[in-house]
Amino acid sequence: MIRWIAEIGSNHRQDINHCFELITQAKEIGCWAAKFQLFKGNRLYHSSFTKQIEKMKNWELPEIFIPEIANFCKMLEINFICTPFDLDTVQALKPYVDYFKIGSYENQWHDLIMAVAKTGKPWMISVGMENFKLGTTIYYSFLNPFKYCSDNFLKNIRSAEKLGRNNDNSLYAILACNSNYPAKPENCSLQNVKKLKNYFRFQKIGWSDHTTEPGVIYKAIALGAEYIEFHFGDGPEAAIGHCWKYDDIARVIRDVKIGEIAEQNNDTEEDEAKKWQTDPIDGLRPLREYRKELLG
């Protein structure tokens, strides 16, 4: 069963009631988790990048919202995930989150990964900006020991995985992504989902979506994604073009859930239909052994 993560990100509008509204909507459409990002603009960018810092001030989630968000998620029985962007934020989130998430832009920052691992809370990581191409370095694949892959793609994941193990908190899930906002479907490299499943057999694998294309999500699931994260809501991020609207993503989730139901091996409704098969002896319906019963 697919676990859906609604990435509310900065669409909260710095309004706690709008946070609650988006979390409620995520629960209504069948999400397993609601996800936020906790950052400060002046800790996110170098001090010389003043334009970026000023912009992100309007996108910051007020830290005082965190306990309220956690309590609201608990009340609705939906998991609360948050991405930290500095070391102090990790400690601020520790008492409240159900899962941590390391973003693709931070997956080389070992101090942050180690701080998250040391909390003891389950954690995920996104990997983007690296193409999973053939390379000169050989890595063992559990499913195919003769496959080759590039040093660059696996290096960051292997390092993160090791940091987790060294702190008795193994990496819970790896989500492939294209780190552009929005991402073009032709640049999504969804084969990375399949390849991650190949090389990381003991981790759960997913897709962090930065498109609003149903076909991208459907294909990611077909390739083995167990977790689907999508940007959700109508706040400041929505203007960029990578955020799903309620009705659109609700339809995608509904379609996938119908497929999951259809996949189940439950054909008891066909028991009656089986009686009406053509009999192999005389070529007439129903089967001879049921004719008396069916005549009543």
Side-chain angles (χ1 to χ4, degrees), residues 5-6 11 44-45 53 60 73 88 101 104 119 138 146 190 205 213 240 271 294:
I5 302 170
N11 283 327
L44 195 60
Y45 290 95
I53 291 171
E60 293 174 1
C73 286
D88 291 339
K101 168 80 183 298
S104 62
T119 66
I138 302 173
F146 301 105
L190 285 176
I205 303 300
E213 294 290 344
I240 298 174
D271 288 347
L294 294 171

Side-chain angles (χ1 to χ4, degrees), residues 102 106-118 123-127 130 139 150-174 196 199-200 203:
I102 302 291
E106 285 68 45
N107 67 20
Q108 298 182 65
W109 189 8
H110 288 183
D111 288 345
L112 181 68
I113 295 169
M114 188 159 55
V116 165
K118 284 182 175 179
W123 58 289
M124 310 172 182
I125 194 167
S126 276
V127 288
E130 295 280 7
Y139 283 90
S150 68
D151 191 315
N152 289 337
F153 189 87
L154 288 182
K155 181 174 66 175
N156 294 336
I157 314 173
R158 291 290 190 201
S159 297
E161 187 183 42
K162 184 177 180 180
L163 286 169
R165 287 198 311 269
N166 289 348
N167 288 280
D168 298 317
N169 187 3
S170 296
L171 175 58
Y172 176 78
I174 306 167
L196 285 171
Y199 282 91
F200 296 93
Q203 270 78 43

